[in-house]
Amino acid sequence: MSEEGTVQVSLAFDRRSPEEMDAISREMLERYQSRRTVRHFSTDSVPMDVVERCILAAGTAPSGAHKQPWCFCIITAPDVKKQIREAAEKEEYANYHGRMSDRWLNDLEPFETDHLKPHLEEAPVLIAVFRQAWEPDEVEGKKQNYYVQESVGIACGMLISALHESGIAALTHTPSPMGFLSEILKRPAHEKAFLLIPIGYPSKGCKVPDIARKSLDEISVKFGSETK
Ligand code: IYR
């Protein structure tokens, strides 16, 4: 038994048959390939219990020393969404009108983004993800967490996948800087904003840029002789 009192338990893991693995991974890939980042949302609400389950799924992410250094703020209140939109648009105006390089602006052209962020009010739910670099501790003051960026990044990836699997579209939005989120949402000092994720159904006739994903050869390198 460790100091914290945890014990080791047997892992529940059933090997699937090769046929099952083949079929499941094909279906999984097809579902993942159909995911697109959405910037135009319907104002229709989405079932909150589904959203909460997706957040629980994100919370299954691995994290440094299992510290689970994340907090997901679920925002549906129109006045809070409005405050977030106004603050984000102020920062983004400065980004698009001077803080971003010409090359960056050029790279963003296919996505037709600008400083205006109506989706921050139109999407029925905003999930503001905070990372916890440390935990307050009565004795030590600050207890450092580990690999916080990696842990929260993985959790966000799992959240986006869980939402997609559940039929909810998402936008990974990184207004920069994001300090305004801490102020508006009154987050404690040990939390820093990591990502803002508007979620919901795509608007009717929602368009997305015509982009392709890199092939396996482009995103992987093999070190081994297996051909299959
Ligand atoms: N944060 C800005 C700009 C932006 C940057 C990147 I990199 C993107 O992939 C998309 C947008 C915005 O949200 O408009």
Side-chain angles (χ1 to χ4, degrees):
M1 203 187 286
S2 76
E3 260 178 53
E4 304 252 306
T6 53
V7 291
Q8 297 276 314
V9 293
S10 295
L11 172 69
F13 187 101
D14 290 323
R15 279 201 191 195
R16 298 189 197 280
S17 71
E19 295 74 29
E20 242 186 315
M21 291 170 74
D22 186 83
I24 287 175
S25 63
R26 279 175 199 278
E27 287 161 19
M28 175 276 297
L29 179 57
E30 205 171 307
R31 288 199 308 275
Y32 273 49
Q33 280 171 334
S34 71
R35 188 199 60 78
R36 292 300 310 262
T37 289
V38 159
R39 290 194 164 78
H40 311 284
F41 289 91
S42 155
T43 54
D44 291 351
S45 57
V46 287
M48 191 47 72
D49 52 346
V50 173
V51 174
E52 287 172 353
R53 261 176 232 123
C54 292
I55 287 172
L56 283 171
T60 68
S63 61
H66 193 52
K67 295 292 185 183
Q68 307 170 80
W70 40 63
C71 178
F72 300 89
C73 294
I74 308 167
I75 303 143
T76 53
D79 58 320
V80 181
K81 289 199 283 181
K82 186 168 190 276
Q83 284 182 63
I84 291 176
R85 175 184 177 178
E86 284 171 0
E89 286 185 341
K90 209 168 145 195
E91 293 295 355
E92 295 294 10
Y93 185 88
N95 289 335
Y96 282 88
H97 297 84
R99 288 204 294 229
M100 281 150 74
S101 65
D102 287 345
R103 188 195 167 139
W104 191 348
L105 292 172
N106 197 49
D107 277 342
L108 286 180
E109 255 171 35
F111 307 97
E112 297 182 353
T113 58
D114 59 21
H115 70 282
L116 297 170
K117 305 294 174 194
H119 46 258
L120 292 176
E121 284 191 90
E122 285 162 4
V125 184
L126 307 180
I127 302 177
V129 185
F130 286 80
R131 63 179 170 90
Q132 299 168 336
W134 46 275
E135 279 171 41
D137 184 77
E138 275 180 21
V139 184
E140 292 174 47
K142 288 181 180 183
K143 278 203 302 191
Q144 212 61 39
N145 286 329
Y146 315 97
Y147 299 103
V148 171
Q149 300 278 2
E150 292 84 347
S151 305
V152 183
I154 295 167
C156 287
M158 292 178 70
L159 174 61
I160 291 160
S161 299
L163 289 164
H164 176 63
E165 297 259 344
S166 305
I168 298 177
L171 166 65
T172 40
H173 181 40
T174 48
S176 163
M178 267 192 282
F180 64 84
L181 285 174
S182 300
E183 283 164 39
I184 294 172
L185 302 172
K186 300 184 178 63
R187 299 315 300 160
H190 68 289
E191 290 188 2
K192 295 275 176 280
F194 184 79
L195 203 56
L196 181 57
I197 313 179
I199 67 169
Y201 301 116
S203 65
K204 238 194 185 149
C206 173
K207 292 260 192 312
V208 293
D210 186 13
I211 50 173
R213 267 127 187 180
K214 290 182 178 175
S215 68
L216 185 61
D217 281 346
E218 288 171 299
I219 64 168
S220 67
V221 187
K222 283 199 178 109
F223 298 84
S225 54
E226 301 92 68
T227 50
K228 261 243 152 191

